[in-house]
């Protein structure tokens, strides 16, 4: 069975569930992944291998998803390429001023950050900073990985200003990838122009058409083939 759906930027209550699954937890990683066949197939293989070796529960536990290196690389790279928040996130310099990156900034000054610019900085990410390439997270040494993670985490704020929903958002996207990609194949209907996106504090996505097909052969754990509960088929 194949289903054709459009993920809009504005949804009614009736369609809110589908929108949450495919978009609101984190639009960035799915939309990048679905337009990168190599990364898509690599992630699907990782999920299938984990299933066939009985390393995943049903539904998948957050800790299990976190143990999948390529999945984590895809999520981090997606957030990097399209950070969920685009506003400057300005903070006010405290009384007495402060030193920022070697420069004195007087008290009362509003300091903001261009999230999109930082996430595409070639100084941090290399010459291919504009490319969606999850492998960069697997190739990085310990020092590079630490810096990369610190930079991407800025998308959720820092310190007392950090987004309270960050743990829930990451848990949600961990589970969504594993649960959906083991059961369905996803394809972008218009790969030349996959979607329309605009940014004003948050991303607004429209005309993101997907073709969703139920996978016929998915590795199953024994508990799933004989029934999730004893005595139940």
């Amino acid at each position: 069975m194949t289903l054709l759906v459009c993920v809009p930027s504005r949804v009614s209550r009736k369609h809110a569930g589908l929108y949450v699954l495919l978009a609101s937890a984190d639009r960035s990683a799915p939309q990048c992944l679905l337009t990168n066949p190599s990364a898509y197939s690599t992630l699907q293989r990782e999920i299938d291998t984990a299933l066939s070796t009985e390393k995943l529960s049903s539904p998948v536990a957050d800790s299990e998803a976190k143990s999948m290196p390529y999945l984590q690389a895809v999520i981090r790279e997606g957030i990097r390429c399209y950070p969920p928040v685009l506003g400057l996130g300005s903070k006010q310099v405290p009384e007495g001023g402060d030193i920022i990156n070697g420069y004195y900034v007087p008290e009362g000054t509003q300091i903001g950050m261009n999230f999109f610019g930082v996430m595409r900085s070639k100084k941090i990410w290399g010459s291919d900073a504009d490319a969606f390439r999850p492998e960069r997270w697997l190739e990085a040494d310990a020092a590079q990985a630490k810096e990369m993670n610190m930079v991407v985490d800025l998308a959720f704020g820092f310190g007392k200003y950090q987004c309270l929903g960050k743990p829930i958002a990451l848990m949600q996207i961990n589970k969504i990838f594993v649960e959906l990609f083991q059961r369905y194949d996803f394809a972008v209907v218009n790969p030349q122009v996959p979607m329309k996106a605009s940014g004003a504090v948050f991303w607004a996505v429209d005309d993101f058409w997907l073709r969703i097909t139920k996978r016929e052969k998915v590795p199953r754990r024994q508990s799933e083939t004989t029934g999730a509960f004893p005595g139940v088929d």
Side-chain angles (χ1 to χ4, degrees):
M1 182 180 72
T2 299
L3 177 67
L4 192 65
V5 301
C6 178
V7 182
S9 58
R10 298 179 181 84
V11 293
S12 64
R13 289 178 180 270
K14 178 180 178 181
H15 298 101
L18 178 61
Y19 178 68
V20 168
L21 284 177
L22 293 177
S24 65
D26 176 16
R27 294 191 195 102
S28 51
Q31 67 196 35
C32 290
L33 186 68
L34 295 178
T35 54
N36 189 311
S38 176
Y40 179 97
S41 61
T42 300
L43 176 60
Q44 199 165 60
R45 282 197 304 271
E46 182 178 63
I47 293 172
D48 287 351
T49 299
L51 284 166
S52 65
T53 54
E54 301 183 356
K55 293 181 179 179
L56 300 181
S57 305
S58 182
V60 62
D62 187 45
S63 58
E64 294 168 344
K66 286 180 177 178
S67 70
M68 303 172 68
Y70 200 78
L71 171 61
Q72 297 309 306
V74 165
I75 293 172
R76 305 295 283 184
E77 185 73 349
I79 295 173
R80 181 191 75 81
C81 287
Y82 291 97
V85 177
L86 298 176
L88 295 177
S90 298
K91 304 295 183 292
Q92 184 168 303
V93 177
E95 184 178 351
D98 204 349
I99 302 296
I100 301 176
N101 200 29
Y103 293 91
Y104 172 75
V105 183
E107 64 180 73
T109 304
Q110 294 291 322
I111 302 295
M113 179 180 66
N114 183 334
F115 287 100
F116 198 80
V118 171
M119 301 301 181
R120 300 295 182 103
S121 170
K122 290 181 170 58
K123 182 178 179 180
I124 301 171
W125 308 103
S127 58
D128 61 349
D130 290 327
F132 175 78
R133 194 173 70 85
E135 287 75 14
R136 76 175 77 249
W137 294 88
L138 307 178
E139 298 166 355
D141 59 31
Q144 289 175 320
K146 180 180 179 180
E147 180 184 30
M148 290 161 63
N149 277 294
M150 289 176 63
V151 173
V152 165
D153 281 342
L154 290 175
F156 296 96
F158 186 76
K160 67 179 182 180
Y161 300 103
Q162 187 178 72
C163 174
L164 295 177
K166 176 184 175 182
I168 296 176
L170 292 177
M171 177 179 67
Q172 186 179 26
I173 198 67
N174 272 327
K175 291 175 175 285
I176 285 173
F177 268 111
V178 176
E179 294 299 331
L180 289 183
F181 280 62
Q182 66 173 288
R183 293 176 171 84
Y184 302 97
D185 285 318
F186 296 84
V188 177
V189 175
N190 303 308
Q192 289 78 20
V193 186
M195 63 184 173
K196 297 177 182 177
S198 59
V201 181
F202 300 101
W203 286 104
V205 177
D206 208 349
D207 280 347
F208 187 22
W209 287 92
L210 301 177
R211 181 176 289 107
I212 305 175
T213 307
K214 187 175 179 62
R215 298 182 70 191
E216 295 182 359
K217 295 182 179 180
V218 180
R220 298 288 184 179
R221 296 175 293 278
Q222 186 64 25
S223 60
E224 289 189 343
T225 58
T226 59
F229 302 96
V232 179
D233 294 331

